[in-house]
């Protein structure tokens, strides 16, 4: 007899496990099929361990200037391997936390690979997984689950390049880079999106010579142009080599190094010799071997096609998170998971506000944004005022010795609506929360300033940027 559930979630990442908890909270009987570790890529190879590595990077970077803060230290020893061990410990705590939450909410955690096997059926097979971190498949039990509703939350995996295959040795994906046991003498990073820029920070802080190769004309090309420029300036100051508008053309993987041929628009390709390469050119949805075609679940541009209620093209089957399309972000996955479950529970208001998704890159200086870039707002025909406030004019940023960057607010002149906000600088990842809530409540730039901000704090830079958009910032 098959085990019967109201909801079977395939995948236990931040999309899947949150959906499972929400469904259990709403009184449903829930199973979550996961072939590797609960918490998915986010907890085990992505968001969490990389942020632990970036925390280590911060200390490594600051170690050179501690005397200035009145702290004398002896010889500083940088050990990336030890930092990676700590990152693994932090990830392990998170995984155990999710296991605890599953027990607390009486969710069945089924170990194995889930595949749709006919209407309302999920077959659990053993001996395979999604390949995160080159791990062996976990032990599990083969069985079939019956499900009134199925939520696919299988996530994504790193993309490779045709001329440069990821081998885990000379050529890494983020799965390898996050748990590297030492910092290479030199590393080239292909792709200057969030992954490339975060790892550039880590390796540079631990002493590697870093070359960043980005095909588009600037690093973090999806961000506001001024954010890209501010980070590029900071990275150049840190002696990283930035090759923007540069496309990897060919690569030779040799015994002790990799030779890259980079098209920089000149007659001859530029040659870059490095000890290791990190390929960070995007991620691909995991949609293979899930029985999607037979179940009638259609794909679109490589992702599972969904509507605003997270429904796929097959009745009773939902898809959320990376496998269901960009942006590939943990918080977007969790929100889609909740929306899917709420729809299953009959909530007509279920849905996700795709216009107010925060984007954050946790490099130094941090970059965070929501809403439109200045260019997007202009292209959309809005009549705008742009307010910008530099952290160099903010007292708290000066006390921290973190004055690179700015807060930029794009205000629609008609109603004062905050169309977009872009922060580069200390704790940008935390500061953006205020703008997300503000935009959610349809706040105006005037209100952002009228609400009193504590002094001295970094958040005052938000109030000042709002004022600047009205033409009367106080401290610049
Ligand atoms: P991405 O798509 O954000 O960036 C990849 C970059 O590689 C692009 O700028 C692209 O122009 C460049 N590129 C592609 N082919 C190239 C070539 N042959 N030569 C040179 N450059 C090339 O992908 P990324 O950074 O790998 O991240 C994957 C996903 O994971 C993204 O959706 C990202 O948002 C998400 N993520 C988010 C994080 C965060 O929120 N902090 C952290 C890590 C990942």
């Amino acid at each position: 007899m098959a085990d019967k559930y109201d909801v079977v979630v395939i995948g236990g990442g931040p999309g899947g496990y949150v959906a499972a908890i929400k469904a259990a909270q709403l009184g449903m009987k829930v199973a979550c099929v996961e072939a590797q570790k609960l918490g998915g890529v986010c907890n085990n190879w992505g968001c969490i361990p990389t942020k632990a590595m970036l925390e280590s990077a911060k200390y490594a970077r600051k170690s050179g200037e501690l005397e200035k803060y009145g702290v004398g230290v002896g010889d500083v020893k940088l050990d990336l391997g030890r930092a990676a061990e700590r990152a693994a410990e932090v990830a392990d705590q998170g995984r155990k936390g999710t296991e605890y939450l599953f027990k607390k909410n009486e969710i069945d955690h089924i170990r194995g690979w889930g595949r749709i096997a006919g209407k309302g059926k999920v077959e659990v097979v053993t001996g395979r997984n999604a390949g995160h971190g080159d791990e062996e498949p976990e032990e599990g039990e083969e069985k079939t689950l019956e499900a009134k509703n199925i939520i696919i939350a299988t996530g994504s995996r790193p993309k490779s390049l045709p001329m440069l295959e990821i081998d885990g040795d000379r050529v890494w994906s983020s799965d390898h880079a996050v748990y590297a046991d030492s910092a290479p003498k030199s590393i080239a990073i292909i792709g200057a999106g969030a992954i490339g820029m975060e790892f550039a920070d880590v390796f540079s802080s631990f002493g590697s010579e870093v070359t960043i190769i980005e095909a588009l004309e600037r690093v973090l090309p999806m961000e506001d142009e001024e954010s890209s420029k501010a980070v590029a300036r900071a990275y150049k100051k840190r002696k990283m080599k930035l090759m923007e508008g540069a496309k990897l053309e060919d690569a030779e993987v040799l015994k002790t190094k990799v030779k890259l041929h980079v098209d920089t628009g000149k007659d001859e390709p530029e040659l870059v010799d490095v000890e290791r390469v990190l390929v960070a050119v995007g991620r691909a949805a995991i949609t293979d071997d899930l029985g999607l075609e037979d179940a009638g679940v259609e794909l679109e541009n490589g992702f599972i096609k969904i509507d605003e209620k997270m429904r796929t093209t097959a009745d009773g089957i939902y898809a959320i998170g990376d496998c269901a399309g960009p942006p590939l972000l943990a918080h977007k996955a969790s929100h889609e998971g909740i929306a899917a479950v709420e729809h299953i529970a009959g909530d007509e208001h279920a849905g996700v506000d795709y216009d107010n998704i925060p984007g954050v890159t946790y490099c130094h200086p941090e970059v965070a944004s929501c809403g439109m870039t200045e260019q997007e707002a202009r292209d959309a025909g809005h009549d705008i005022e742009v307010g910008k406030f530099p952290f160099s004019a903010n007292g708290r940023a000066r006390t921290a010795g973190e004055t690179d960057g700015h807060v930029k607010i794009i205000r629609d002149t008609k109603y004062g609506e905050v169309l977009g906000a872009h922060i580069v600088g200390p704790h940008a990842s935390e500061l953006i929360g205020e703008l997300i809530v503000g935009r959610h409540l349809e706040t105006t730039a005037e209100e952002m300033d009228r609400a009193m901000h504590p002094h001295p704090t970094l958040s005052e830079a938000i109030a000042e940027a709002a004022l600047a958009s009205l033409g009367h910032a106080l401290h610049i």
Side-chain angles (χ1 to χ4, degrees):
M1 261 256 306
D3 297 330
K4 290 187 177 174
Y5 294 94
D6 295 311
V7 176
V8 171
V9 184
I10 305 178
Y17 90 73
V18 168
I21 293 173
K22 185 73 188 174
Q25 283 179 344
L26 294 178
M28 301 180 208
K29 186 164 159 47
V30 187
C32 178
V33 186
E34 168 56 59
Q36 294 194 248
K37 292 175 183 164
L38 279 187
V41 169
C42 169
N43 183 74
N44 300 296
W45 297 277
C47 319
I48 296 300
T50 55
K51 263 75 274 171
M53 293 304 280
L54 283 156
E55 192 67 17
S56 291
K58 178 180 79 184
Y59 292 116
R61 201 177 55 246
K62 284 266 184 195
S63 65
E65 48 175 300
L66 284 179
E67 296 241 338
K68 192 169 81 182
Y69 291 82
V71 182
V73 287
D75 283 346
V76 174
K77 184 170 159 270
L78 300 182
D79 182 349
L80 187 90
R82 178 65 199 107
E85 275 170 32
R86 177 177 171 274
E89 287 159 19
V90 175
D92 212 43
Q93 285 163 5
R95 180 184 55 77
K96 287 188 185 133
T98 308
E99 282 171 3
Y100 158 77
L101 291 172
F102 271 28
K103 283 207 180 86
K104 183 182 151 200
N105 287 287
E106 298 179 9
I107 297 162
D108 287 346
H109 169 198
I110 317 277
R111 291 178 164 76
W113 179 262
R115 184 191 290 142
I116 300 168
K119 180 130 183 74
K121 287 201 166 55
V122 175
E123 180 186 15
V124 181
V125 296
T126 57
R128 78 150 294 181
N129 65 29
H132 302 307
D134 296 335
E135 287 196 350
E136 291 297 314
E138 281 197 12
E139 295 282 312
E141 191 195 333
E142 307 229 323
K143 54 173 148 183
T144 300
L145 314 175
E146 269 185 31
K148 285 190 197 146
N149 300 280
I150 297 169
I151 300 178
I152 308 167
T154 46
S156 63
R157 57 167 77 94
K159 277 188 195 164
S160 223
L161 285 168
M163 70 299 248
L164 189 61
E165 202 180 312
I166 293 165
D167 61 12
D169 179 21
R170 291 279 140 210
V171 186
W172 292 345
S173 75
S174 50
D175 285 2
H176 308 108
V178 68
Y179 294 127
D181 53 17
S182 62
K185 197 172 165 315
S186 57
I187 185 164
I189 297 177
I190 321 286
I195 295 187
M197 294 302 275
E198 290 183 5
F199 277 108
D201 187 328
V202 171
F203 287 115
S204 168
S205 300
F206 276 89
S208 303
E209 278 168 32
V210 172
T211 305
I212 300 169
I213 301 166
E214 168 56 52
L216 298 177
E217 76 280 10
R218 55 191 168 89
V219 298
L220 295 176
M222 304 310 284
E223 293 291 345
D224 188 79
E225 198 173 337
E226 286 191 274
S227 298
S228 298
K229 279 189 181 151
V231 179
R233 215 177 302 124
Y235 271 28
K236 281 180 195 156
K237 244 197 291 178
R238 292 171 63 186
K239 307 272 185 289
M240 288 185 240
K241 182 173 175 190
L242 265 53
M243 300 176 76
E244 293 162 300
K247 198 151 188 271
L248 182 69
E249 211 169 54
D250 202 3
E252 299 165 66
V253 181
L254 309 169
K255 226 178 170 151
T256 56
K257 65 175 181 179
V258 184
K259 210 184 239 304
L260 302 173
H261 301 239
V262 185
D263 177 5
T264 56
K266 298 190 187 127
D267 290 345
E268 290 294 311
E270 192 170 322
L271 295 181
V272 178
D273 272 2
V274 282
E275 192 186 306
R276 316 264 169 198
V277 180
L278 166 63
V279 180
V281 295
R283 300 178 64 89
I286 295 176
T287 55
D288 49 305
D289 197 17
L290 295 174
L292 298 186
E293 209 179 314
D294 290 345
V297 175
E298 286 174 24
L299 303 186
E300 194 172 51
N301 302 323
F303 295 98
I304 298 172
K305 190 172 162 187
I306 54 169
D307 67 8
E308 74 290 351
K309 307 285 185 201
M310 318 301 137
R311 288 175 292 207
T312 67
T313 47
D315 195 31
I317 304 179
Y318 295 73
I320 59 169
D322 286 8
C323 67
L328 278 60
L329 299 169
H331 40 281
K332 173 257 191 189
S334 302
H335 273 252
E336 287 185 339
I338 289 165
V341 169
E342 286 178 341
H343 184 261
I344 290 168
D347 181 349
E348 280 312 309
H349 298 100
V352 173
D353 181 1
Y354 289 97
D355 290 332
N356 200 24
I357 297 179
V360 175
T361 305
Y362 299 79
C363 57
H364 183 267
E366 284 189 0
V367 182
S369 60
C370 58
M372 293 180 181
T373 64
E374 184 176 341
Q375 194 61 50
E376 283 165 353
R378 290 193 193 285
D379 292 348
H382 289 281
D383 185 12
I384 58 168
E385 291 286 352
V386 177
K388 202 174 136 191
F389 190 81
F391 278 111
S392 57
N394 173 276
R396 187 67 192 278
R398 285 200 300 265
T399 64
E402 296 284 348
T403 50
D404 281 346
H406 59 264
V407 178
K408 174 168 168 177
I409 288 182
I410 297 151
R411 181 178 72 89
D412 179 61
T413 45
K414 202 164 170 198
Y415 302 113
E417 183 187 352
V418 177
L419 294 174
H422 303 274
I423 308 178
V424 180
H427 301 286
S429 54
E430 303 293 342
L431 292 171
I432 200 70
E434 176 177 340
L435 286 139
I436 287 288
V437 174
R439 277 166 45 82
H440 185 72
L441 300 174
E442 298 182 357
T443 191
T444 62
E446 285 88 344
E447 288 166 330
M448 298 229 60
D449 169 61
R450 290 278 170 199
M452 197 184 295
H453 290 74
H455 176 76
T457 61
L458 299 168
S459 69
E460 287 173 292
I462 295 176
E464 285 276 15
L467 268 185
S469 79
L470 297 161
H472 43 85
L474 288 165
H475 289 86
I476 40 169

